[in-house]
Amino acid sequence: MTLAIIGGTGLTQINGLTITGQQSLETPFGNPSADYVFGEMNGKRLVFLARHGNPHRIPPHKINYRANIWGLKQLGVTEIIAVAAVGGIGALMAPGHIAIPDQIIDYSYGREHTFFADDLQHVTHIDFTEPYSPALRKRIIHGAHNSGISITETGTYGCTQGPRLETVSEIKRMAQDGCDLVGMTGMPEAALARELELEYANISVVANWGAGIGEGEITMAEIEKNLEVGMGKAIELLKAITLLPDLTLV
């Protein structure tokens, strides 16, 4: 199995990853967000991609998700751990916390969300009952337990369009729908990985409370401060995952 890490806001590079090379790719769906970076962590080789580009410049609704995922498949990747900055909705989802969602609700629109759109021989419907790989989620949770990192092991990720943050009423609606987290990049990334039969799981790093849950306006200074703490935990979690004996990489 070959593991890829997709880094979101606050994670354009991984401390502790020894870079061994990088590669640009052209895909049938255009150019990925950035070059694919090859590296080693704890003696294990992996592929890293900065979802928003490096430097961070591509907003969530403009990311070429199809090119990003297709390129990883082309490189022989079989597993993807997607790291994402999110807002907290559920009571346990305080800023700086990490959650490993097991469900997702898609509120985004207008995105190129499938590989099965044109020149088809037959219509394809993927099963998306469990949008995140149970086996890969279990490995992430195991890594958290081994490293002593506090996480919430389940949760529902609500994917909004962005790039603006949500209104108080939108967050209230999402809470009523059962969302614990709100982000802008979870879809169609998860579904595209499933279409290419890649194992995919998400590490959500809570950067702020959703609108109306915390006090006052949400500021970028607040988000950046919380991400510095949360992404540090996420990197330690990734290191712990690469130490697991059942994780076989290239």
Side-chain angles (χ1 to χ4, degrees), residues 72-205:
L72 290 173
K73 177 78 171 183
Q74 191 173 325
L75 290 171
V77 164
T78 56
E79 295 183 322
I80 300 170
I81 295 177
V83 182
V86 301
I89 299 176
L92 299 177
M93 305 303 177
H97 189 57
I98 288 179
I100 315 301
D102 59 338
Q103 283 295 322
I104 193 164
I105 299 176
D106 189 7
Y107 301 94
S108 68
Y109 51 88
R111 302 182 180 189
E112 296 289 354
H113 65 280
T114 180
F115 295 112
F116 302 125
D118 304 303
D119 302 319
L120 302 179
Q121 300 300 315
H122 57 84
V123 177
T124 300
H125 302 283
I126 59 167
D127 175 71
F128 211 47
T129 304
E130 294 185 84
Y132 301 107
S133 162
L136 189 51
R137 288 187 66 258
K138 183 181 294 186
R139 197 141 64 223
I140 294 170
I141 292 167
H142 187 186
H145 290 170
N146 282 0
S147 58
I149 296 172
S150 175
I151 63 169
T152 297
E153 298 181 8
T154 60
T156 297
Y157 178 124
C159 182
T160 58
Q161 178 70 355
R164 68 168 177 83
L165 298 176
E166 300 73 31
T167 68
V168 171
S169 291
E170 286 170 333
I171 293 297
K172 286 181 178 178
R173 181 188 69 163
M174 295 178 74
Q176 290 171 352
D177 288 348
C179 294
D180 302 289
L181 307 160
V182 54
M184 301 176 187
T185 59
M187 287 291 284
E189 196 172 87
L192 292 169
R194 179 62 53 82
E195 287 186 350
L196 294 186
E197 300 181 339
L198 302 176
E199 300 294 309
Y200 178 95
N202 175 282
I203 295 176
S204 284
V205 180

Side-chain angles (χ1 to χ4, degrees), residues 17-23 36-41 43-48:
L17 176 67
T18 302
I19 297 174
T20 58
Q22 63 183 46
Q23 182 177 348
Y36 295 95
V37 176
F38 304 97
E40 293 186 357
M41 182 180 287
K44 308 287 180 61
R45 287 185 287 173
L46 53 82
V47 181
F48 176 78

